[in-house]
Amino acid sequence: MNGSKTLLTSYVSQPGEIKTSSGKTLRTDEMIINMGPQHPSTHGVLRLEIVVDGEIIVDVIPHIGYLHRCFEKHAEHMTNYQQVIPYADRMDYVAAMNMEQGYAVAMERMLKIEVPERVEYIRVIMAELQRIASHLVAVGTFGIDAGAFTPFLYAFHDRERILDLFEMTCGARLLYNYIWVGGLSHDLPPQFIDKAKEFCKYYRPRIKEFNDLLTYNEIFVKRTANVGVLPKDVAINYACSGPMLRASGVNWDLRRDDPYSVYDRFEWEPQVGKGEMGTVGDTWDRHIVRMREIEQSVNIIEQALAGIPEGNVQAAIPKRIRPERGEIYARTEAPRGEIGYYIVSDGSTTPFRVKARSPAFVNLSVLPEISRGAMLADLVLIAAGVDIVLGEVDR
Amino acid sequence: MEALENLGVWGSILIAVVWSALPIVFILLYALVTLYAEMKIAAHIQDRLAYMRTGWHGTLQPFADILKLLQKEDTISSAADRKLFRLAPYVVFMGTYGAFSAIPFSSIYIGSNIDLGVFFIVAVSSLVVVGILMGGWASNNKWSIFGAMRSAAQMVSYEIPTALAILIAVMITGSLNLQDVTKFQEGGIHNWVVFGGPLPLTQKLLLIPFTLVTFIILFIASLAEVNRTPFDLPEAESELVQGFNTEYSGMRFAMFYLAEYANMFLVSAVTVALFLGGWTSPFGSFLSGPVWGLFWFIGKCLLLVFLQIWIRWTLPRLRVDQLMYTSWKVLTPFLFVCIFGVGLILVL
Amino acid sequence: MDLYIIVFYLFALITLASAAIVVISKNIVYSAFALLFTFFGVAGLYVLLMADFIAVTQLLIYVGGILVLLLFGVMLTTKVIRVDMRTATVRTFPAVVIVAALAGTLIGIFWSTDWPQSPASDGFERTIPQIGEMLLTSYLLPFEIASVVLLVALIGAAMIARRERKAL
Amino acid sequence: MGLLDKQFQNGNVLVTSLDTLLNWARLSSLWQMQWGLACCAIEMMATSASNFDIMRFGVIPRATPRQVDVLFVAGTVTLKMASRIKRLYDQMAEPRYVLSMGSCANCGGPYWEHGYHVLKGVDRVIPVDVYVPGCPPRPEALLEGIIKLQEKVRKESLVKKSA
Amino acid sequence: MLHEIIQWLRTPGLHHFLIISGILFSVGVFAILTRRNAIMVLMGIELVLNAANINFLAFSRYTSGTLDGQVVAIFVIILAAAEAAIALAIVLNIYQNFSTVNIDEIDRLKD
Amino acid sequence: MAAVRAYFNNIWIALTTVAVGMKITFKHLFVPAVTLQYPDVKLKLPERARNRLYVNIDDCIGCDQCSMVCPVDCIIIETIKSTPDQDLGTTSTGHKKRLHVPVFDIDIAKCCYCGLCVYPCPTECIVMTDVYEFSEFDRNRLIYSFSIMTPQDIELAKEKLKKAEEEAAAKKAAATAAAAKAVQPSGAQALKPASPEPGTPEQPGNS
Amino acid sequence: MLTEFGKILIFLIIGALFVVAGLFAAWLLRPRRPYPGKLAPYECGEEPIGDAWVRFNVRFYVVALIFLIFDVEVVFLFPWALVYRELGLFGFLEMAVFLAILLVGLAYVWVKGDLDWDKPRPQIPRIERPPEPNPEKVLKETPVS
Amino acid sequence: MTAEQVFTSLKAKFGDAVLEAKLDALQPWILVVPERMKEVALFLRDDPAMQFDYLMCLSGMDYNDGKLGVVYHLFSTVHRHKIVLKVQCAKETPHVQSVSAVWGTANWHEREAYDLLGIIFDEHPDLRRILLPDDWGGYPLRKDYRVPEFYNGVKVPY
Ligand code: SF4
Ligand code: SF4
Ligand code: SF4
């Protein structure tokens, strides 16, 4: 408890000129509202400094870093490359599998390892399951932000089933440390394939139900359509990725366009926003893209489950990881978009520098652009539509 | 009773006091039940259980909640305006409770049988608006003020559709006194105003579409009056934290909470008394009588409250501009059409 | 009659005390909220004058309408710095004199005139239908004019408020 | 000062039973601050979702600190966040409890060594009642933490003078 | 004398209402005269109107015994509403232009 | 006209979609709850569940592998070499134990349950269990010491080692002194090993 | 005898007394340990920037204004609703005229957009690009692969 | 376009501003002088043959030899080619030209590099700390960074 006194600063607001933290002076009819870090709809610890004129947003200044956990510093301090994985897990804790996969892919490219086919299949299954789970969190919390609590719980119930599959496989529910450089920590448990197939069968009708309950509800549509429109060229300029980019009408998916793993063997299609309810690139598009991606993921999982080959999942795991001097930037498609790892090796067993290019960080940076002129209530939905996970925004 | 009557003025006052304290008891009981029921219904809609560990199936939970709130420290933020901050719960609760005086719970119980009935209810409810504005402003918290202003603007805009819908019922029944209105509908479900009231058949048939629409509109407007989903913007958690009561804690907050739930009942009660036959039995004289009347009345109200809860856990919420759109551009014009329609039908 | 007296003085007290707060309070928000009690007290007096419909109308329009409007007005015009909420009082002394004189005259006249002490009628049975009828018959013209007045008020106020918004 | 607040030296039967009643009320109605910090928050959400349904324990999420009884510190507390956490805790109305969920909140967890920006245990800024270990703790573990907290509350005394 | 006063106090009649309305009226006028805030002036006007209404009703009850006073009172209330709406709109308009609702300052700013 | 059409269409769509939603929720009202009533009903965790660590200290050879690989460094192991005359026994996997382990602390409060420490252990004595209920009121109770050596044991072992070292040094000195002379070490005396008393291994934390 | 309005007064008083009772009971039980930190206004964990008592959107006023006018109209409608049947078609028509005049007002504010709340005015972001480079020039400058 | 072609055309256009290139690396890169980074970036973005419109990643680096650096991973969604650009600057005067006007995404990335490594991006519109609090001292990702003992009265190390 020592030092708690110094934490308190003055609680009295000074009269006079009020400035935003980026140094802009307010006009008289503007007012600053602080949303977060503790606010029901900032999904953790984002803080939005909002300048409003009435209810219309003049400017949004996101403040991040409340969850800056020094991933990059940790990566540099690990004694071997493998140990980075638990920390990579904790970056995007909603989609830990994808984070691990990205790291593993980067390291494998650096080490020039070929991983067995079974490993790739299992990774695809896991990554897609994780994608569903992650999107479920996204659309569920989206529902809460729109004021509908029930869809969230339905989504979480389905997610729970996926987590059961994960726990069966690797023993953890959220942070798996499952995908290793060159392989996996465990092989699939024997009942897994049946259970996963069962899940797919169970899950398809639930997607429709969810859509009926939330996605196509007129109130919801009216709330989200034409809100937070992000045009194509801005999306690219801001390097948005994932559903955010696709919703803006860019047909772009790293699984197809910068191929890794075995995605080319399955039949599926990247989903793009079409502006059915409003403009291309609005918040509703982002939502529907996620919903449709979930369906696609179920397709991929079913195909992968059918075609999974036999093999050893640990065959390619190097005993000791010591890459040559060099560097690599490898990117994969996480649920939120392009997760890229820039890894620099100095030839020793510990990484010299690991930089994670996290999708939500980049996607979030466009938030001020798309929320100007919207209303306070819209901002909540726009932010939810960006689908941030603070762990990877702040790293 | 008679002995008391003999005591003169003071006796009658005593009777009146007891008489008017009854709804408090009722509100408390009802709030406990509804608090519990709301969570339970929500839970079952969401495939879960809610309250299971306090008493049998968590039935004691509301008691625990209230007892807990009693022990909660009462914080008044240093930036707040202390006087108004303290005053606000009184105004809100008085507004709510005053309205209860004109609710006919049964053929023998009505707090105050004034002629003005619903008109009085509409009027006295506006105290709630002022109370909320007071609380929100006194909190001196951005979320509170936002919530309060929104709340006031919303309640105020939806008061027009509410009043107009009530007016249509009054046009049919020809009385403002809810007791009279209820008596007017006696004789079974077909005599309820929502089904045209006890009028000659042709008139009745012509009226039914109008009354149905009016009933639905009144229900929607009453949702908005009590800030329930999809009109819960003032308390929209995902936007405004807790709305106007963000800074309130402990018992003061509990009073707002109680008033909110009491208001839920109130709007249902008005709707029931005007459109659903009040305390009359749906089966004519079968199962009627003062006690049954109480049962029917509360039963019907709780049904509407259930409907409110059900809607709450289904729908997302509107945005402010859509809220105003609904009130002014959908509900009000429809009601004007209904007024002309009903007026013509009844006059001709 | 006892009760009537008590209630009468109660409402008189509420009315006058809160009216005093309205004019004395330095904080305009207090004034506005005190107005609530004034209106409420006046409504009580109306009831004592057997004007139930007017009393409820008073609640509905003054408390529910005008007061909310005033409050919005106050909240729309207070500035960021709290000092601004205080409203300056000027020329207090001459005003006191004038008002004292005015009040003295008024009360004197009221006092000295020999008004009837008891009600002219024993209250009214069901005022509302009667009022309704009067509105539609003997007061038809003012009634219809009232609608025009309201229309003008609506359009005018909306127009002024809108111009204000344009200036923004 | 509340009339009964810490006013009694020793409990007689009445005081004791009042105590029991009040403790029971507090422990069965622990309203929770709707706030998550990191990965643990996801598990916290999972705990409040249908499968584990934290509401069975009477735990309801509220958005404002004024109306909550227990703060679940679910996740990593960074130094930037520490002052905010402290402030929010301060703003909670008493009686209030803190449950630290997960390794990070307990002591910095996996970030204790190199996390230059991680607070090594939330107990450095606010007092903690129960520590729930895990990374993240399973939802059941959080529930067990709540049961532990309830045990603690049950042993408290509101009306007796604290020693 | 004292007895008379007490007697007078005990029998509320037209006098009493008139006196109350008189005081209310004066208070309203006081507000109009002294306050510089336009909204305060508005409040004063409302007080005055209320005082007038009390008079109408009191006379209606004590002298005429008909409902005419009440009907007039309704019209007064309605006019008050219309007046408040317009006046506040103007006040807001002024505020927007001059950033103040102080009447004197506005006077000054106008030139 | 189109605007009017859109106006009514809007109202219609709103009403129907609301009705659809309400139908769904109403259906769910009668779907049995999926809730697991935790303290009364407990889920059977899968075999691979990764929760609290457990160290079977009897099998630990003190090789420090687990501590090395732990990314958060929450395992603290200290070892004392045994003297050649001690027999610490073998582990159940058949490894010979050569080191005393006076300190084997896992700060379970820091652990991130990644399971990395489990893989390299040669004797498979460090395992993740399915125990997840071990909340504490006091954080220090989350530091689990698995070592079962009492302070006396440690003292003893240290002294022994010191003596042995001294002896060895002396011997070495002697050996260097008599460089040419080959010294045959006497056979290891089977002294009573300073192995722990049999008993329940201390289970820290709550019971 | 107590009039019906007297009963309402009692209702109001009891309503207030109930709040008093509740707060009194709480006063008996609750702790009171204020300190500056606890009493700081809540703003999502941040220090408040600027006062909350700032001026608000004029929209609120316009809504209240329209409400007030219609509220007044309702006051006329209620007495009318009670008696218009006795007055027959005449009474109905009178009110129809009254309503019609006000509906003109409604139509007016509708058309003029006063019924709309502040609509979001989304500003779609754009990217500043330099004028398209002259393709010929570019081609000359960049060696074509 | 291969990296080599990019390099030659850059060299042709900017001459001395383009220092060197390593074209045989896993991912070939080109080293540019920090003072002219923006020009190069604009060219790379707008040239019809390049159209590197997508800045995948911008990373700050501490090379631990007295030099800081910034690495730009570029990609073209039109031509689907990639290139890596690097700039280096001395630790004492870590100035690099900002490219946030070229790629919107660079804004936050640069703030992050400033925050964690202390690289100052000239002409950046709003160069503030982004992850760490404003009153933080030092740049943690530098190799010689020492963790402070106390921050605002709270002990930092375990
Ligand atoms: S304890 Fe583990 S799961 Fe929880 S916040 Fe920390 S790293 Fe995340
Ligand atoms: S589980 Fe991971 S963090 Fe925990 S002790 Fe083992 S290696 Fe370390
Ligand atoms: S790896 Fe196994 S044997 Fe070696 S020290 Fe750790 S627990 Fe003991």
Side-chain angles (χ1 to χ4, degrees), chain H residues 10-59:
Chain H
L10 277 183
K11 197 78 193 167
K13 183 147 170 71
F14 294 100
D16 287 348
V18 182
L19 297 173
E20 57 168 310
K22 190 164 161 61
L23 301 173
D24 57 345
L26 217 47
Q27 287 172 336
W29 50 264
I30 300 171
L31 189 69
V32 182
V33 294
E35 294 82 36
R36 297 190 56 192
M37 186 55 215
K38 189 173 169 190
E39 266 173 72
V40 176
L42 260 178
F43 172 73
L44 284 175
R45 186 187 77 176
D46 292 327
D47 187 274
M50 311 268 187
Q51 296 215 6
F52 287 104
D53 50 0
Y54 193 92
L55 174 64
M56 295 188 285
C57 185
L58 186 156
S59 340

Side-chain angles (χ1 to χ4, degrees), chain H residues 47-117:
Chain H
D47 187 274
M50 311 268 187
Q51 296 215 6
F52 287 104
D53 50 0
Y54 193 92
L55 174 64
M56 295 188 285
C57 185
L58 186 156
S59 340
M61 289 287 296
D62 179 359
Y63 291 105
N64 210 11
D65 54 359
K67 275 198 183 143
L68 297 177
V70 184
V71 185
Y72 305 80
H73 289 88
L74 299 178
F75 177 70
S76 163
T77 53
V78 186
H79 303 303
R80 312 230 156 167
H81 51 207
K82 295 178 188 167
I83 191 70
V84 182
L85 283 196
K86 290 187 176 182
V87 298
Q88 287 188 352
C89 53
K91 212 168 203 166
E92 292 75 46
T93 52
H95 285 273
V96 179
Q97 216 174 19
S98 163
V99 294
S100 57
V102 183
W103 296 288
T105 181
N107 188 327
W108 278 26
H109 278 299
E110 285 177 354
R111 277 178 68 187
E112 186 192 313
Y114 164 72
D115 190 0
L116 300 181
L117 285 146

Side-chain angles (χ1 to χ4, degrees), chain F residues 3-182:
Chain F
V4 177
R5 274 266 298 285
Y7 174 84
F8 284 104
N9 200 22
N10 237 333
I11 295 173
W12 176 245
I13 291 178
L15 287 177
T16 44
T17 51
V18 165
V20 167
M22 291 188 58
K23 215 172 77 200
I24 291 172
T25 42
F26 195 70
K27 232 171 47 215
H28 273 272
L29 196 52
F30 301 101
V31 170
V34 295
T35 309
L36 176 92
Q37 299 208 45
Y38 159 66
D40 310 327
V41 188
K42 285 184 188 168
L43 204 67
K44 171 102 180 52
L45 294 194
E47 267 165 63
R48 294 177 183 175
R50 301 203 316 242
N51 287 295
R52 189 169 72 183
L53 282 166
Y54 174 70
V55 179
N56 184 359
I57 198 71
D58 286 340
D59 273 3
C60 176
I61 55 172
C63 64
D64 214 25
Q65 291 279 337
C66 51
S67 155
M68 293 273 284
V69 81
C70 173
V72 296
D73 296 340
C74 63
I75 307 180
I76 295 162
I77 299 175
E78 274 172 28
T79 49
I80 301 174
K81 279 204 207 100
S82 64
T83 45
D85 51 342
Q86 286 172 316
D87 179 14
L88 301 183
T90 50
T91 67
S92 52
T93 45
H95 288 74
K96 189 112 179 61
K97 289 168 82 171
R98 292 187 206 288
L99 297 165
H100 296 285
V101 188
V103 178
F104 194 118
D105 285 358
I106 300 184
D107 191 342
I108 212 83
K110 290 177 192 155
C111 173
C112 73
Y113 304 86
C114 58
L116 281 177
C117 51
V118 174
Y119 302 96
C121 178
T123 63
E124 287 169 24
C125 65
I126 179 165
V127 285
M128 305 209 88
T129 61
D130 59 359
V131 184
Y132 50 81
E133 302 152 289
F134 49 110
S135 306
E136 290 294 348
F137 295 127
D138 178 5
R139 204 192 70 218
N140 292 330
R141 288 176 53 95
L142 285 173
I143 301 174
Y144 286 17
S145 351
F146 289 95
S147 172
I148 37 171
M149 288 177 79
T150 59
Q152 290 94 316
D153 291 341
I154 297 170
E155 256 336 282
L156 211 72
K158 271 190 186 151
E159 255 165 42
K160 269 241 167 69
L161 180 64
K162 217 162 124 201
K163 236 199 279 160
E165 262 167 10
E166 272 163 14
E167 262 169 36
K171 262 189 199 149
K172 216 174 180 184
T176 32
K181 209 176 185 185

Side-chain angles (χ1 to χ4, degrees), chain B:
Chain B
M1 275 291 228
E2 249 163 50
L4 282 171
E5 298 271 8
N6 292 339
L7 284 175
V9 182
W10 298 108
S12 66
I13 289 181
L14 198 64
I15 293 175
V17 167
V18 174
W19 201 239
S20 29
L22 287 178
I24 285 267
V25 179
F26 170 74
I27 288 178
L28 275 176
L29 284 177
Y30 148 84
L32 292 179
V33 171
T34 321
L35 273 170
Y36 176 75
E38 162 133 37
M39 286 309 165
K40 275 290 185 186
I41 292 168
H44 283 284
I45 281 179
Q46 296 155 350
D47 302 345
R48 61 198 176 99
L49 291 167
Y51 304 153
M52 288 301 287
R53 299 182 53 83
T54 319
W56 182 81
H57 273 241
T59 33
L60 294 180
Q61 186 66 41
F63 292 98
D65 280 344
I66 287 195
L67 258 180
K68 194 267 327 247
L69 284 169
L70 271 174
Q71 305 167 54
K72 217 50 191 150
E73 186 183 6
D74 175 45
T75 54
I76 302 180
S77 119
S78 51
D81 185 311
R82 302 180 77 87
K83 287 184 207 124
L84 294 181
F85 190 86
R86 283 159 196 259
L87 192 59
Y90 291 92
V91 177
V92 169
F93 197 81
M94 272 165 79
T96 308
Y97 195 63
F100 267 83
S101 60
I103 298 291
F105 280 90
S106 144
S107 52
I108 53 162
Y109 184 86
I110 180 164
S112 158
N113 198 9
I114 47 168
D115 271 351
L116 290 151
V118 270
F119 192 52
F120 170 74
I121 293 178
V122 173
V124 87
S125 307
S126 48
L127 273 181
V128 179
V129 181
V130 180
I132 285 177
L133 267 178
M134 197 187 271
W137 187 84
S139 301
N140 191 8
N141 173 306
K142 284 165 196 162
W143 304 116
S144 303
I145 299 192
F146 245 113
M149 300 280 279
R150 269 194 189 182
S151 190
Q154 169 180 337
M155 288 167 100
V156 144
S157 342
Y158 276 85
E159 209 162 304
I160 297 302
T162 315
L164 291 181
I166 289 174
L167 185 87
I168 287 172
V170 171
M171 282 164 75
I172 294 169
T173 57
S175 171
L176 286 171
N177 184 321
L178 285 180
Q179 197 71 289
D180 294 350
V181 170
T182 310
K183 286 201 187 106
F184 178 80
Q185 305 176 50
E186 249 172 338
I189 192 165
H190 53 279
N191 278 349
W192 293 359
V193 171
V194 69
F195 301 120
L199 295 172
L201 193 65
T202 36
Q203 266 189 348
K204 196 171 152 85
L205 286 181
L206 282 174
L207 272 180
I208 284 180
F210 291 108
T211 45
L212 270 177
V213 169
T214 316
F215 171 70
I216 291 169
I217 290 179
L218 180 59
F219 181 72
I220 294 174
S222 63
L223 280 179
E225 284 269 303
V226 291
N227 300 338
R228 299 280 299 184
T229 312
F231 307 102
D232 60 342
L233 300 103
E235 293 163 34
E237 278 198 351
S238 55
E239 297 157 32
L240 294 186
V241 190
Q242 288 282 335
F244 67 90
N245 58 34
T246 300
E247 286 278 359
Y248 279 88
S249 70
M251 215 45 198
R252 273 181 229 283
F253 160 71
M255 287 301 160
F256 281 122
Y257 211 51
L258 204 61
E260 188 186 318
Y261 274 84
N263 258 327
M264 266 168 77
F265 183 85
L266 187 72
V267 291
S268 306
V270 172
T271 315
V272 165
L274 286 173
F275 282 92
L276 298 182
W279 39 257
T280 63
S281 153
F283 314 113
S285 55
F286 181 60
L287 294 185
S288 61
V291 182
W292 277 109
L294 194 67
F295 167 77
W296 287 121
F297 186 76
I298 294 176
K300 286 172 194 173
C301 290
L302 289 185
L303 202 69
L304 284 189
V305 171
F306 166 73
L307 208 59
Q308 291 180 359
I309 294 173
W310 176 17
I311 286 181
R312 166 158 180 193
W313 296 104
T314 304
L315 296 183
R317 78 172 70 83
L318 293 167
R319 198 172 55 205
V320 201
D321 56 328
Q322 292 156 354
L323 180 99
M324 294 298 160
Y325 178 92
T326 316
S327 163
W328 292 107
K329 296 196 177 171
V330 180
L331 302 187
T332 312
F334 266 80
L335 280 172
F336 274 117
V337 173
C338 287
I339 289 178
F340 279 112
V342 172
L344 264 180
I345 293 167
L346 288 181
V347 168
L348 294 178

Side-chain angles (χ1 to χ4, degrees), chain C residues 9 23 87 90 117 139 164, chain E residues 9 15 35-36 68 96:
Chain C
Y9 282 113
V23 295
T87 60
V90 292
Q117 270 308 312
Y139 285 88
E164 190 264 359
Chain E
L9 283 176
H15 272 126
R35 306 315 280 285
R36 304 325 311 150
D68 294 81
Q96 191 60 44

Side-chain angles (χ1 to χ4, degrees), chain E residues 43-108:
Chain E
M43 290 185 199
I45 295 174
E46 297 300 338
L47 288 183
V48 170
L49 286 174
N50 261 298
N53 251 353
I54 294 181
N55 274 4
F56 275 122
L57 294 179
F59 282 120
S60 152
R61 170 126 169 85
Y62 283 93
T63 58
S64 75
T66 61
L67 282 172
D68 294 81
Q70 298 205 3
V71 176
V72 173
I74 294 183
F75 285 118
V76 171
I77 293 180
I78 279 151
L79 286 180
E83 168 253 11
I86 295 272
L88 262 175
I90 294 172
V91 169
L92 286 183
N93 201 346
I94 288 173
Y95 178 77
Q96 191 60 44
N97 289 334
F98 299 107
S99 283
T100 178
V101 284
N102 188 319
I103 297 168
D104 293 340
E105 263 179 59
I106 294 164
D107 257 354
R108 223 173 335 104

Side-chain angles (χ1 to χ4, degrees), chain A residues 69 90 93 174-175, chain D residues 38-41 74-76 101-105 109-111 134-137, chain F residues 112:
Chain A
R69 296 191 285 192
R90 278 156 183 77
Y93 36 76
L174 196 65
L175 307 167
Chain D
C39 351
C40 283
T76 320
M101 176 186 185
S103 298
C104 286
Y111 303 97
C135 184
Chain F
C112 73

